[in-house]
Amino acid sequence: MGRTLKRSAAFVALSRAVASGTRGGPSLGTRLAALPRMIRATARGEYDGGLRLAMMAAATAYVVSPLDVVPELFLTVFGLVDDVVMITWLAGSVLSETERFLEWESRRGSVIPGHVTP
């Protein structure tokens, strides 16, 4: 059930992101421009997107890999379905995570670094 919820959340994020440009949300260009900053912040340990970025990297490797779970050579249309599902999930995940990162980045600007003393 948890996996289904994550998958449906990715699809919902994809549909919202496509429509958000007209409703005042971050545009697709803004989200894609945030991707390198998100990767750098995750690599430095500032942002907690490590596992999600790893899953997106694995999905990208699966899509571009010549090895496939359902080979297109033998099952033509049915072999492409798993790639379409993976690409759709990947697009939704990237859009969802970049939106989360942009929110984190905007909140981060209002935090003053330092130490809390009792």
Side-chain angles (χ1 to χ4, degrees):
M1 182 169 159
R3 176 172 263 157
T4 304
L5 289 175
K6 288 179 184 176
R7 190 176 323 152
S8 63
F11 291 129
V12 168
L14 177 60
S15 64
R16 283 184 185 163
V18 169
S20 70
T22 59
R23 288 190 256 157
S27 68
L28 184 60
T30 303
R31 291 169 190 257
L32 293 178
L35 200 55
R37 293 193 316 269
M38 180 176 67
I39 293 169
R40 276 192 304 273
T42 302
R44 282 185 251 156
E46 299 170 354
Y47 182 66
D48 67 343
L51 180 60
R52 291 179 296 276
L53 282 176
M55 289 176 59
M56 287 185 263
T60 303
Y62 175 80
V63 170
V64 299
S65 170
L67 300 175
D68 209 354
V69 173
V70 182
E72 285 83 7
L73 182 63
F74 301 112
L75 300 174
T76 59
V77 174
F78 297 110
L80 294 175
V81 170
D82 67 327
D83 290 334
V84 169
V85 168
M86 188 63 71
I87 289 169
T88 305
W89 176 86
L90 180 61
S93 295
V94 167
L95 294 173
S96 175
E97 191 60 29
T98 52
E99 182 173 357
R100 184 175 177 267
F101 174 75
L102 288 169
E103 289 173 10
W104 172 82
E105 201 172 42
S106 68
R107 284 192 317 262
R108 183 174 176 229
S110 64
V111 174
I112 300 171
H115 299 282
V116 176
T117 57

